[in-house]
Amino acid sequence: VMEHFRDASFSKSDKNIEAMNPEGWEMARNWTRSENLYIYGYIGTGKTFMALAALRKAFVAGLDVAETTARQFVKTSDLFRDSDNLFNAWKHADVLLLDDIDKAHWNLDRIDALWELMNTRMSAGRRTIITGNVSLRDMAITMRERTGDKEDGLCNTSRADAAMDRLKPIKQIELLGKSLRK
């Protein structure tokens, strides 16, 4: 089980990275979990650290939290589907971090699993933090392009649209600037 959030906190954030996007960092610090959070921007701009710090804040407040990468999510959904304890833990955590949503290879079955996860979370009022390098709009377009049958040209985008719609209400934070990774 990943627990990278334990080492992250807003007090430990890099002030140079924060200076590039002060409004975004302020929004993340003040996130009240009344809506989901989508953090996106270029590689190395602090998205994952920001998300982990927000997750840690929820944990310190006494909430049950979980974290995974999108790649781990699709591997888990491919292997175990409904019977896996990890998948169920992601469904039932008060706050879930799904990191790097654009790094997974999405197909129809994986989008169905994402819909199932997001629908369960939305129905229970649980919140999700998602990070990615692309905007939520562009991620939705990518998911739509990967649904349907390419051989006969049919494309049913309703599953991708439904999965993304389960993220509402959502606050989006765009982190601008170049990579500050050392």
Side-chain angles (χ1 to χ4, degrees):
V1 176
M2 296 174 20
E3 291 191 344
H4 297 109
F5 70 89
R6 291 184 181 274
D7 296 326
S9 73
F10 288 113
S11 64
K12 294 180 182 178
S13 67
D14 185 316
K15 300 308 174 201
N16 292 322
I17 291 177
E18 279 196 43
M20 295 171 63
N21 298 283
E23 296 85 13
W25 282 89
E26 188 64 24
M27 285 173 38
R29 275 193 170 85
N30 294 322
W31 180 56
T32 61
R33 296 175 302 280
S34 61
E35 55 201 350
N36 295 304
L37 192 58
Y38 188 83
I39 305 167
Y40 69 102
Y42 189 68
I43 296 164
T45 54
K47 298 176 301 296
T48 298
F49 187 87
M50 177 187 281
L52 289 169
L55 191 65
R56 183 175 186 274
K57 186 176 175 184
F59 176 76
V60 169
L63 297 175
D64 180 34
V65 302
E67 65 179 279
T68 188
T69 65
R71 291 176 64 129
Q72 182 62 47
F73 170 80
V74 299
K75 286 179 186 175
T76 301
S77 67
D78 285 351
L79 296 173
F80 304 110
R81 295 295 292 175
D82 299 336
S83 64
D84 182 61
N85 291 334
L86 190 54
F87 196 73
N88 285 326
W90 296 333
K91 284 181 179 180
H92 299 292
D94 295 319
V95 182
L96 171 68
L97 168 58
L98 181 60
D99 197 26
D100 287 328
I101 193 169
D102 54 313
K103 302 296 185 298
H105 178 73
W106 294 101
N107 62 28
L108 191 55
D109 289 338
R110 292 167 176 175
I111 290 170
D112 281 347
L114 181 65
W115 177 87
E116 181 184 334
L117 175 70
M118 291 301 143
N119 190 59
T120 300
R121 296 186 60 68
M122 180 196 73
S123 297
R126 295 181 178 102
R127 294 302 175 215
T128 306
I129 304 168
I130 298 177
T131 69
N133 293 117
V134 299
S135 71
L136 188 58
R137 179 183 177 278
D138 288 345
M139 190 64 227
I141 290 168
T142 298
M143 285 187 166
R144 279 187 214 115
E145 290 170 351
R146 294 183 182 167
T147 56
D149 186 340
K150 292 182 180 175
E151 286 184 24
D152 64 14
L154 296 176
C155 189
N156 178 353
T157 63
S158 65
R159 290 172 170 162
D161 292 341
M164 300 310 276
D165 191 59
R166 296 305 188 269
L167 292 171
K168 293 177 181 170
I170 192 161
K171 178 180 291 293
Q172 296 185 56
I173 300 174
E174 181 179 16
L175 297 182
L176 304 170
K178 61 181 175 137
S179 176
L180 293 179
R181 289 207 174 116
K182 296 174 173 78

